[in-house]
Amino acid sequence: MSPMTLALILGWWLVEASRAQDLPRPSLSLHPSQGVSLGDAVTLRCHLPQLAARVWLYQEEHRIYINYKYKEQDTAEFSFLNTNWEHTGTYRCQYQESLSAEESEKRDPVELVLTDRRFPPPSISLSPEERVGTGTNVTIQCWNKDYGAAFLLHKDGSSATIQRQDLDVLPPELEEDIIGLEINFSKLNLSPD
């Protein structure tokens, strides 16, 4: 291959790579955004900052779905009608402009967490129990009678997880020794937000 041909190919590749970084990133949202239980329907909605014909959905960095339209769109929806444990995980979306090979960067991840209605909700307590002022350290204690759970701490009315604690599943030989699980969330610099 001649140096001129190589320079042209490298130049084209660099231009395309820099243009892809210039495409604005999409945003991804879950509907409903919280309280999704095993077997519920959920929709992941990719909001596009500009019209596009192809939109990809990734789960844990693996491309799992493509949404292709003959007309340009500003939103693409990916739905699970009957969620199962395989649907839990981190999702991202990416799009391609209609008349070019440019692809956007992937969106910051959104996490789909499923709850199981067969298990009762955990108990919760605060320490200190009395009213506290801004900047006070507070410990939120959660526990349940089951094992192998993940505890997610949310502020009322918000789907954003403040803190998360995952607990490993215990081996069957220890099941009879389990009385319950307890987890502590420490929230520093308490504020009204």
Side-chain angles (χ1 to χ4, degrees):
M1 187 178 298
S2 74
M4 180 64 142
T5 305
L6 185 59
L8 285 172
I9 291 171
L10 180 59
W12 173 81
W13 181 82
L14 289 171
V15 167
E16 286 298 312
S18 67
R19 286 181 65 200
Q21 293 175 358
D22 293 337
L23 282 178
R25 293 190 327 181
S27 63
L28 185 63
S29 59
L30 286 169
H31 302 275
S33 62
Q34 60 184 4
V36 180
S37 293
L38 192 62
D40 287 352
V42 67
T43 299
L44 290 101
R45 193 169 293 143
C46 187
H47 304 275
L48 309 170
Q50 56 196 49
L51 297 178
R54 280 194 183 113
V55 181
W56 293 278
L57 182 68
Y58 292 81
Q59 181 183 22
E60 311 297 345
E61 298 303 321
H62 301 289
R63 188 181 284 184
I64 58 170
Y65 290 108
I66 183 172
N67 186 326
Y68 181 78
K69 302 276 186 179
Y70 289 105
K71 65 176 191 167
E72 294 182 330
Q73 58 190 352
D74 62 1
T75 303
E77 292 188 351
F78 302 90
S79 296
F80 302 123
L81 300 178
N82 186 10
T83 55
N84 61 54
W85 293 120
E86 292 175 2
H87 293 125
T88 61
T90 303
Y91 290 87
R92 297 172 186 261
C93 69
Q94 181 180 34
Y95 68 95
Q96 182 180 34
E97 285 188 323
S98 300
L99 299 175
S100 80
E102 282 188 72
E103 294 178 3
S104 70
E105 291 183 38
K106 292 178 199 153
R107 164 67 182 137
D108 292 335
V110 172
E111 186 174 14
L112 174 59
V113 177
L114 296 176
T115 59
D116 192 337
R117 291 186 183 122
R118 294 176 297 176
F119 299 109
S123 300
I124 189 167
S125 68
L126 296 174
S127 176
E129 293 180 12
E130 65 274 358
R131 181 176 284 202
V132 296
T134 301
T136 304
N137 293 342
V138 174
T139 298
I140 301 170
Q141 188 176 54
C142 297
W143 67 93
N144 71 3
K145 295 178 184 175
D146 301 302
Y147 62 90
F151 289 92
L152 286 83
L153 183 63
H154 296 269
K155 183 176 177 182
D156 192 25
S158 172
S159 62
T161 301
I162 296 171
Q163 287 188 28
R164 175 185 179 133
Q165 293 288 335
D166 291 299
L167 302 173
D168 294 331
V169 176
L170 296 174
E173 61 270 13
L174 296 179
E175 286 181 19
E176 293 180 14
D177 296 334
I178 301 300
I179 297 172
L181 290 176
E182 185 175 296
I183 196 79
N184 290 326
F185 293 104
S186 295
K187 178 77 170 132
L188 303 176
N189 297 325
L190 190 64
S191 68
D193 296 333

